[in-house]
């Protein structure tokens, strides 16, 4: 209040106070500033007479008109506020004066009396207030002490008066509020008295109404309630009787391997004990007994599943792939899922491993016992007995093992499909149950909303809640849940023997054990209960594990087959197989791999890897044998034209449309056909040596091997490339390099040898595109880069052919150089030199014409003729013989005409353009 005098009685406006906010046009109070007079002298004009000067500074009333209009509204508001809140300056000055005086008086009181923890029982506080050291009665100071005591008493009294005056002053300031509170208290007491009287009258009326109208009705309701309680007790006793029969019923179910039914009964009984029969003293040990019984059932189910797995996997492997005792399997799987015993797949996996071992062992025993050549008394070990089998016997054994493994995998797949279907049915039930719960929650929410509305209406109408929700409506709700297991109140209680009757089942009123029917692919109908403890993620993981177990079964069979294969390969048996035997083995293994992939849905790699490893060894041996054979053929080749047997002509003819295949041998017809001089390929004649004929067959064997064993395509391509390169390089060494002189003992390498070598190379080059297309059709696209080997080989062969042609030209070039260097232009005509040259040209033609095609012969003789003209031109230049029509010119012309006539007289060279004019030097 002391600060209230400083506040203005007029409310102050703010930016957010709409009452005091007045919109003002800024254009009304912001006037434009008049321009100042220009002090710079200018030429006088007509407008200078109206410029502003000091004589225009007089202020008139019109200047304040805008301001008055703006402030008038605020002034009215200010006056209205003054009238509402008159000034309190006088009262505040008086109050301030009084307050200052009170403060001055209170300052006389010591501070110790104002402390909130002031207490005289504190020795320090007591000595500070009453200093007894001043009151010492000893000696002659008694009068002075008495005066001091009186003075202290008066001082304390003065303090007390000051405090009382201030308290009275404060009370006087608040006297009006105090008396108002006292008056209100009296009025409240009067009001409570009247209310008490009204309540008493109301109670009397209610008592009369209760006596007249309610006592009889309430008695009827009490009787109805008593009857309902009796019914509940009766039903409870029936339920107790049924629960009492749980353990004997479980024993009966277990005797018939009804594990799911026993577990459901135990779960239902446990739920009833925890909810409806909680606190029953006679059943205090039943819960623990049921828990122990449930643990025993878990062990029984695991043992039963192990027994079932052994029986299912070890029954005779016949063509029958049906599931063994499908209903028993479904019951076991449901029970294990219900108890979260998910390790049963591991048990099945262990049984699969044992069965796979036994399958191979039994097959070997059966095969060995059927083989008379093996004395089991001498050879004791089964592995050693198996190694004594020859290839046909061992191949039949392997085929039998693969057949048994295929049936084994089909059975495993059928069994796992049943287990997988059970898991999926439980998962489907979980999802549908969750959807139904969501729908139920939505319905319950809507029902609660309507119920709240009804309750509010009943309260508003003055009715009792119990009247609206009486026993008449509550009873059906309570009884309906138990009516599914109990009979009506008037029915007789069932005996303890009639456990199988519907009214004596142990379905709890609060239980959610509803079931739904599902069908397993095998035709078995199953009942899926809602109390499965598995989540969707666990069921999904279990379904994946079932599929992985099927993959594992395939891997187990492949691993056992690999061990069986390796045990037979210890003595190098597989490396000794010929091509047909290995191809037969490879096809059998590939068929088994494909069959298992179709059954299990995934390709196992162990057997495929073993096959690839053996295939690589086979390819190495296959290649080394044929390369060694080719090397021996080349080392013994005398490079003479060989006759072509009919079988090789048939071999070449079988290659059609880019397809390479070894022809079947024709009995009887081959002997009657005589060998041909040349090999005919697509209408062209090829004079070849015997090595090339065998090389063609070897190449076809490589291609045929790729068809039989597709997995070795890349290795075969590399080996075949190596073989073709080896033939090219080795033939070059023997012919062009004259290695055949030392290896075979040839006296010289003739032009016929060179032409024959060239033609052989041309035959191989002809088949390289066909070979390339054959491998390209069998290679995966990512390995097409390997085909570049054929391009390199083709280039090498063409280079080799070109070198042979150059060698033939070089032979004649050296002959021309030798003969024409001694040529003299003189009679007789033709000269001996030209007769010798024509003789050598005829020999060359006779050597190559039957070996090379006519086009190649013509091209070769054109090159030889070019060499001849070059040497002749050089010799004529040396002899200074020119084309001047003189005697020497005539002699040379006659010799050249003789040469030209002889050359064109040769077969195939008639139309050869020799252009002999080039032998003369151009006239300067």
């Amino acid at each position: 209040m002391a600060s209230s005098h400083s506040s203005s009685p007029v409310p102050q406006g703010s930016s957010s106070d709409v009452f005091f906010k007045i919109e003002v046009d800024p254009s009304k109070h912001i006037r434009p500033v008049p321009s100042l007079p220009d002090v710079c002298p200018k030429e006088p004009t007509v407008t200078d007479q109206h410029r502003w000067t000091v004589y225009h500074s007089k202020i008139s009333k019109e200047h304040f008109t805008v301001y008055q209009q703006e402030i008038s509204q605020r002034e009215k508001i200010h006056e209205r506020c003054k009238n509402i809140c008159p000034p309190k300056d006088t009262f505040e000055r008086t109050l301030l004066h009084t307050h200052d005086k009170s403060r001055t008086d209170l300052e006389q009181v010591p501070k110790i009396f104002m402390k909130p923890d002031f207490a005289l029982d504190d020795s320090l506080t007591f000595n500070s207030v009453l200093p007894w050291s001043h009151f010492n009665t000893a000696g002659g100071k008694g009068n002075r002490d008495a005066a001091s005591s009186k003075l202290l008493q008066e001082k304390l009294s003065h303090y007390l008066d000051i405090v009382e005056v201030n308290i009275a002053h404060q009370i006087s300031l608040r006297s009006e509020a105090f008396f108002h509170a006292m008056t209100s208290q009296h009025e409240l007491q009067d009001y409570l008295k009247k209310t008490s009287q009204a309540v008493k009258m109301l109670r009397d009326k209610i008592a009369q109404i209760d006596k007249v109208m309610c006592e009889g009705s309430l008695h009827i309701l009490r009787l109805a309630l008593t009857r309902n309680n009796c019914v509940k007790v009766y039903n409870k006793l029936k339920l107790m009787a049924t629960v009492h029969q749980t353990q004997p019923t479980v024993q009966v179910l277990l005797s018939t391997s009804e594990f799911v039914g026993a577990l459901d009964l135990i779960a239902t009984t446990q739920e009833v004990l925890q909810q409806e029969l909680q606190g029953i003293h006679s059943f205090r040990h039943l819960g623990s007994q049921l828990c122990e019984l449930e643990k025993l059932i878990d062990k029984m189910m695991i043992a039963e599943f192990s027994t079932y797995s052994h029986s299912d996997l070890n029954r005779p492997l016949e063509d029958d792939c049906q599931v063994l005792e499908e209903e028993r399997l479904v019951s076991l799987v449901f029970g294990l899922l219900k108890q979260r015993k998910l390790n049963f797949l591991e048990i099945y996996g262990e049984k699969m491993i044992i069965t796979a071992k036994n399958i191979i062992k039994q097959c070997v025993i059966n095969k060995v016992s059927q083989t008379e050549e093996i004395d089991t008394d001498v050879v004791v070990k089964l592995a050693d007995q198996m190694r004594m089998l020859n290839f046909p016997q061992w191949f039949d054994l392997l085929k039998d093992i693969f057949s048994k493994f295929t049936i084994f995998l089909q059975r495993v797949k059928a069994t796992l499909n049943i287990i997988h279907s059970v898991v999926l049915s439980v998962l489907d039930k979980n999802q549908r149950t969750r959807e139904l719960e969501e729908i139920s929650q939505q319905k319950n929410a809507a029902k609660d909303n309507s119920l709240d509305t009804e309750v509010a209406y009943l309260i508003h109408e003055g009715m009792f809640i119990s009247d609206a929700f009486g026993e008449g409506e509550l009873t059906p709700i309570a009884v309906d849940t138990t009516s599914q297991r109990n009979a009506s109140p008037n029915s007789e209680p069932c005996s303890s023997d009639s456990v199988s009757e519907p009214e004596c089942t142990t379905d709890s009123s609060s239980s959610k054990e509803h079931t739904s029917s599902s069908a397993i692919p095998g035709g078995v109908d199953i009942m899926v209960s809602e109390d499965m403890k598995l989540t969707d993620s666990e069921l999904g993981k279990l379904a994946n594990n079932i599929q992985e177990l099927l993959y594992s079964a395939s891997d187990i069979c492949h691993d056992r087959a690999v061990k069986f294969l390796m045990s037979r390969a210890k003595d190098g048996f597989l490396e000794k197989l010929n091509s047909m035997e290995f191809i037969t083995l490879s096809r059998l293994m590939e068929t088994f791999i494909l069959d298992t992939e179709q059954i299990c849905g995934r390709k196992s790699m162990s057997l495929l890897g073993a096959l690839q490893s053996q295939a690589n060894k086979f390819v190495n041996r296959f290649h080394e044998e044929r390369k060694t054979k080719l090397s021996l053929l080349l080392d013994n080749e005398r490079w003479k034209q060989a006759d072509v047997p009919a079988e090789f002509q048939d071999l070449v003819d079988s290659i059609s449309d880019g397809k390479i295949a070894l022809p079947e041998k024709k009995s009887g017809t081959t002997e009657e056909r005589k060998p041909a001089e040349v090999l005919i390929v697509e209408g062209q004649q090829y004079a070849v040596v015997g090595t090339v004929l065998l090389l063609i067959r070897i190449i076809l064997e490589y291609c045929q091997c790729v068809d039989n064993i597709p997995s070795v395509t890349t290795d075969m391509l590399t080996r075949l490339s190596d073989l073709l390169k080896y033939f090219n390089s080795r033939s070059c060494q023997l012919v062009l390099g004259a290695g055949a002189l030392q290896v075979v003992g040839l006296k010289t390498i003739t032009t016929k040898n060179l032409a024959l070598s060239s033609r052989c190379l041309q035959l191989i080059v002809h088949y390289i595109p066909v070979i390339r297309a054959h491998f390209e059709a069998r290679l995966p696209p990512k390995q097409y880069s390997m085909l570049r080997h054929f391009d390199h080989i083709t280039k090498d062969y063409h280079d080799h052919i070109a070198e042979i042609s150059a060698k033939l030209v070089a032979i004649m070039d050296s002959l021309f150089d030798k003969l024409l260097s001694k040529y003299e232009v003189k009679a007789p005509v033709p000269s001996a030199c030209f007769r010798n040259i024509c003789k050598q040209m005829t020999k060359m033609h006779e050597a190559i014409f039957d070996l090379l095609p006519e086009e190649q012969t013509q091209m070769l003789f054109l090159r030889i003729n070019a060499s001849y003209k070059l040497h002749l031109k050089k010799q004529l230049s040396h002899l200074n013989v020119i084309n001047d029509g003189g005697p020497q010119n005539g002699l040379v012309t006659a010799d050249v005409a003789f040469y030209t006539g002889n050359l064109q007289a040769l077969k195939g060279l008639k139309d050869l353009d020799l252009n002999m004019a080039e032998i003369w030097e151009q006239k300067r």
Side-chain angles (χ1 to χ4, degrees):
M1 296 176 63
S3 62
S4 63
H5 68 281
S6 62
S7 62
S8 173
V10 181
Q12 301 295 322
S14 65
S15 62
S16 62
D17 191 350
V18 181
F19 184 77
F20 294 101
K21 187 173 181 181
I22 301 175
E23 296 294 337
V24 181
D25 188 4
S27 63
K28 294 182 179 180
H29 64 277
I30 303 176
R31 300 182 182 88
V33 180
S35 60
L36 296 177
D38 192 355
V39 298
C40 297
K42 296 181 180 179
E43 293 295 330
T45 61
V46 177
T47 58
D48 292 340
Q49 299 176 5
H50 302 285
R51 287 190 306 171
W52 187 90
T53 62
V54 293
Y55 298 104
H56 293 82
S57 60
K58 290 180 181 182
I59 303 302
S60 63
K61 188 176 181 179
E62 286 76 8
H63 288 87
F64 296 94
T65 302
V66 177
Y67 175 75
Q68 288 177 350
Q69 292 176 354
E70 295 173 356
I71 208 64
S72 60
Q73 183 66 24
R74 297 184 181 180
E75 184 179 6
K76 291 178 182 179
I77 295 172
H78 177 68
E79 291 298 332
R80 184 162 63 252
C81 291
K82 285 175 64 178
N83 295 332
I84 295 172
C85 302
K88 300 180 180 179
D89 294 344
T90 304
F91 172 75
E92 289 178 354
R93 282 197 298 270
T94 303
L95 185 63
L96 181 60
H97 175 72
T98 305
H99 179 72
D100 293 341
K101 182 179 179 182
S102 299
R103 179 179 295 179
T104 303
D105 294 340
L106 285 174
E107 288 178 354
Q108 298 178 10
V109 181
K111 301 295 184 181
I112 192 172
F113 292 101
M114 304 300 178
K115 291 183 177 180
D117 57 347
F118 177 78
L120 287 176
D121 54 358
D122 187 7
S123 60
L124 296 178
T125 305
F126 186 82
N127 291 331
S128 299
V129 175
L130 299 174
W132 293 103
S133 61
H134 296 171
F135 308 106
N136 190 0
T137 56
K141 299 181 181 178
N143 295 332
R144 189 174 64 182
D145 292 341
S148 299
S149 177
K150 185 177 182 180
L151 179 61
L152 178 60
Q153 184 178 2
E154 291 178 354
K155 184 183 296 184
L156 294 175
S157 299
H158 178 65
Y159 295 158
L160 179 60
D161 293 339
I162 292 173
V163 172
E164 289 178 348
V165 168
N166 277 275
I167 291 174
H169 177 66
Q170 294 295 328
I171 293 174
S172 65
L173 292 177
R174 295 166 175 80
S175 60
E176 183 178 355
F178 177 75
F179 287 116
H180 178 71
M182 292 299 295
T183 303
S184 300
Q185 182 70 20
H186 290 302
E187 292 177 356
L188 181 60
Q189 290 178 356
D190 293 341
Y191 180 73
L192 289 175
K193 184 176 181 181
K194 293 177 181 179
T195 304
S196 178
Q197 293 175 356
V199 170
K200 183 178 180 181
M201 292 176 63
L202 181 60
R203 286 181 174 176
D204 292 339
K205 291 181 180 180
I206 291 174
Q208 293 176 2
I209 293 172
D210 179 61
K211 184 176 182 181
V212 174
M213 300 180 66
C214 298
E215 285 185 356
S217 301
L218 288 176
H219 181 64
I220 294 173
L221 291 176
R222 290 191 189 96
L223 291 177
L225 182 61
T226 301
R227 181 181 181 279
N228 290 333
N229 289 337
C230 291
V231 171
K232 291 180 181 178
V233 171
Y234 172 74
N235 292 332
K236 190 74 69 174
L237 291 174
K238 287 178 62 180
L239 184 61
M240 291 176 63
T242 305
V243 170
H244 184 67
Q245 295 296 322
T246 298
Q247 288 179 312
T249 306
V250 170
Q251 296 296 336
V252 173
L253 293 173
L254 292 180
S255 65
T256 58
S257 299
E258 290 290 339
F259 299 106
V260 177
L263 291 172
D264 289 338
L265 182 58
I266 291 174
T268 304
T269 305
Q270 291 279 24
E271 188 175 358
V272 171
L273 289 175
Q274 294 175 2
Q275 296 180 3
E276 299 186 23
L277 298 181
Q278 187 175 10
I280 302 299
H281 186 71
S282 59
F283 289 151
R284 64 186 182 276
H285 300 304
L286 183 59
S288 59
Q289 293 174 356
L290 293 177
C291 290
E292 294 298 326
L293 188 58
E294 188 175 3
K295 294 179 181 178
L296 177 62
I297 293 175
D298 292 346
K299 296 180 181 179
M300 292 177 63
M301 285 192 300
I302 292 175
E304 183 73 11
F305 184 81
S306 178
T307 303
Y308 173 84
S309 301
H310 179 77
S311 302
D312 178 54
L313 296 174
N314 289 276
R315 54 188 167 134
L317 290 169
E318 300 173 353
D319 294 336
D320 183 17
C321 298
Q322 298 296 325
V323 178
L324 179 66
E325 298 181 23
E326 185 174 339
E327 295 182 358
R328 177 186 174 191
L329 174 62
V330 171
S331 177
L332 281 172
V333 173
F334 266 113
L336 293 169
L337 293 179
K338 186 179 180 66
Q339 297 303 107
R340 297 178 62 87
K341 301 299 180 180
L342 307 182
N343 60 340
F344 66 93
L345 293 179
E346 299 176 1
I347 297 175
Y348 197 80
E350 294 173 357
K351 296 294 182 182
M352 288 192 308
I353 296 174
I354 297 173
T355 304
K357 293 180 180 179
N358 293 335
I359 288 174
I360 293 181
K361 183 177 180 181
Q362 190 61 40
C363 289
V364 174
I365 292 174
N366 295 339
K367 188 64 179 179
V368 170
S369 63
Q370 297 173 2
T371 305
E372 298 178 356
E373 293 83 2
I374 300 176
D375 188 356
T376 56
D377 295 333
V378 178
V379 183
V380 180
K381 292 184 178 180
L382 191 62
D384 295 336
Q385 296 173 0
M386 182 267 296
R387 293 190 187 96
M388 296 180 67
L389 298 172
N390 56 29
F391 177 77
Q393 295 170 342
W394 181 82
F395 183 78
D396 292 338
L397 173 60
L398 182 62
K399 185 187 296 185
D400 185 43
I401 291 174
F402 285 165
S403 176
K404 294 292 191 298
F405 274 158
T406 302
I407 299 174
F408 168 72
L409 289 177
Q410 290 173 348
R411 289 183 176 178
V412 170
K413 182 179 181 180
T415 302
L416 293 181
N417 282 343
I418 297 298
I419 300 175
H420 191 262
S421 300
V422 173
V423 174
L424 292 183
S425 63
V426 175
L427 179 61
D428 180 65
K429 179 60 180 176
N430 285 355
Q431 295 175 351
R432 287 191 283 115
T433 302
R434 188 162 54 250
E435 294 175 358
L436 292 176
E437 289 177 354
E438 294 176 356
I439 296 174
S440 177
Q441 291 175 359
Q442 295 175 359
K443 291 182 178 180
N444 290 337
K447 184 177 180 180
D448 292 341
N449 293 334
S450 62
L451 185 63
D452 294 340
T453 305
E454 185 176 357
V455 170
Y457 170 74
L458 293 173
I459 295 175
H460 177 70
E461 293 294 326
M463 298 176 64
F464 290 104
I465 302 295
S466 59
D467 293 338
F469 302 100
E471 292 296 333
E473 295 184 8
L474 291 176
T475 301
I477 299 175
V479 175
D480 181 66
T481 56
T482 58
S483 62
Q484 297 178 2
R485 68 169 187 272
N486 297 325
S488 63
N490 297 327
S491 62
E492 294 295 330
C494 61
S495 63
S496 60
D497 298 332
S498 58
V499 179
S500 61
E501 297 181 7
E503 60 270 14
C504 294
T505 58
T506 57
D507 292 341
S508 172
S509 61
S510 60
S511 175
K512 297 182 180 179
E513 288 192 28
H514 303 291
T515 59
S516 63
S517 178
S518 300
I520 296 299
V524 179
D525 291 335
I526 57 175
M527 300 298 292
V528 184
S529 60
E530 291 185 354
D531 60 344
M532 286 292 179
K533 304 174 184 178
L534 297 173
T535 62
D536 290 354
S537 60
E538 290 175 328
L539 290 171
K541 183 178 180 181
L542 184 60
N544 293 333
N545 291 340
I546 294 172
Q547 186 62 44
E548 290 296 330
L549 186 60
L550 182 59
Y551 298 155
S552 177
S554 176
D555 293 339
I556 290 170
C557 293
H558 281 247
D559 292 341
R560 301 311 306 178
V562 169
K563 290 183 179 180
F564 175 77
L565 199 67
M566 294 299 102
S567 64
R568 189 64 183 92
K570 285 185 177 180
D571 56 354
F573 172 76
L574 298 180
E575 286 76 8
K576 299 175 183 178
L577 299 179
N578 58 39
S579 300
M580 291 306 300
E581 291 175 342
F582 185 82
I583 289 171
T584 305
L585 175 62
S586 176
R587 287 178 177 175
L588 177 64
M589 296 173 66
E590 289 175 352
T591 302
F592 176 70
I593 292 172
L594 292 177
D595 291 341
T596 56
E597 182 180 1
Q598 291 177 355
I599 295 173
C600 301
R602 189 181 71 178
K603 180 181 290 186
S604 297
M605 303 306 295
S606 57
L607 186 59
L608 185 63
L611 175 61
Q612 188 64 41
S613 176
Q614 293 298 323
N616 291 336
K617 295 178 181 179
F618 169 77
V619 168
N620 289 333
R621 182 174 58 83
F622 180 90
H623 176 65
E624 291 300 327
E625 288 178 356
R626 279 147 184 81
K627 188 175 181 179
T628 301
K629 182 178 181 180
L630 179 61
S631 177
L632 292 175
L633 290 174
L634 288 173
D635 289 344
N636 292 279
E637 181 61 59
R638 302 188 66 83
W639 297 100
K640 293 182 179 181
Q641 182 178 356
D643 292 336
V644 179
E647 59 176 330
F648 287 97
Q649 184 63 53
D650 294 338
L651 188 69
V652 171
D653 294 339
S654 65
I655 305 174
S656 61
D657 299 331
K659 297 180 181 179
I660 299 179
L662 290 173
E664 296 181 359
K665 293 184 178 181
K666 299 179 182 180
S667 60
T669 58
T670 305
E671 298 178 357
E672 298 175 359
R673 297 167 58 187
K674 296 181 180 180
E677 294 183 358
V678 293
L679 185 68
I680 300 175
V681 180
E682 296 181 1
Q684 293 190 12
Q685 296 181 356
Y686 286 87
V688 293
V689 297
T691 301
V692 173
L693 293 175
L694 295 175
L695 177 60
I696 294 296
R697 184 176 184 86
I698 291 174
I699 292 174
L700 292 183
E701 290 177 353
Y702 275 81
C703 297
Q704 188 69 40
C705 187
V706 169
D707 290 337
N708 295 328
I709 312 176
S711 60
V712 300
T713 302
T714 54
D715 290 337
M716 279 295 182
L717 190 151
T718 305
R719 301 301 194 282
L720 181 57
S721 301
D722 178 67
L723 187 73
L724 294 176
K725 290 178 181 178
Y726 175 77
F727 173 77
N728 184 45
S729 60
R730 186 60 178 161
S731 61
C732 182
Q733 293 172 1
L734 293 173
V735 180
L736 278 178
L741 300 179
Q742 292 79 23
V743 175
V744 186
L746 296 179
K747 296 181 179 179
T748 182
I749 301 297
T750 64
T751 56
K752 193 167 187 176
N753 298 141
L754 291 172
L756 193 59
S757 174
S758 175
R759 196 56 174 158
C760 291
L761 294 174
Q762 292 174 28
L763 178 62
I764 302 300
V765 170
H766 174 78
Y767 280 114
I768 287 180
V770 181
I771 300 171
R772 176 193 174 102
H774 183 82
F775 278 90
E776 184 176 4
R778 290 151 182 81
L779 279 176
K782 62 181 180 180
Q783 293 181 341
Y784 281 170
S785 59
M786 297 185 66
L787 297 173
R788 68 180 184 276
H789 292 299
F790 292 112
D791 299 332
H792 298 161
I793 292 172
T794 303
K795 181 179 181 301
D796 293 341
Y797 271 68
H798 280 302
D799 293 343
H800 189 183
I801 294 171
E803 290 177 4
I804 293 176
S805 298
K807 182 65 175 178
L808 292 174
V809 175
I811 291 174
M812 298 304 296
D813 184 76
S814 61
L815 179 64
F816 292 148
D817 182 62
K818 178 180 178 182
L819 294 177
L820 291 176
S821 62
K822 300 178 181 179
Y823 173 61
E824 295 179 356
V825 183
K826 61 181 181 178
V829 175
S831 64
C833 176
F834 273 79
R835 284 196 299 269
N836 197 4
I837 289 175
C838 290
K839 181 180 178 180
Q840 295 299 327
M841 293 287 280
T842 302
K843 288 183 178 181
M844 169 68 75
H845 181 269
E846 292 174 352
I848 68 174
F849 183 77
D850 293 334
L851 301 179
L852 299 179
E854 185 175 338
E855 297 81 4
Q856 294 185 21
T857 304
Q858 291 177 358
M859 292 299 299
L860 181 63
F861 273 90
L862 282 176
R863 293 177 61 187
I864 294 174
N865 182 62
S867 174
Y868 160 75
K869 290 189 292 183
L870 182 63
H871 285 284
L872 179 58
K873 182 178 181 179
K874 178 180 178 183
Q875 183 63 19
L876 293 177
S877 176
H878 176 69
L879 296 175
N880 293 322
V881 178
I882 60 176
N883 189 13
D884 56 357
Q888 288 186 332
N889 178 260
L891 292 175
V892 172
T893 303
D895 287 336
V896 170
F898 174 75
Y899 164 81
T900 303
N902 278 275
L903 188 59
Q904 290 180 342
L906 297 177
K907 189 175 180 180
L909 304 182
K910 180 179 180 181
D911 299 331
L912 199 65
D913 186 10
L914 300 179
N915 194 10
M916 299 306 295
E918 295 179 355
I919 64 174
W920 303 108
E921 286 285 351
Q922 297 294 330
K923 295 181 180 181
R924 299 178 182 178

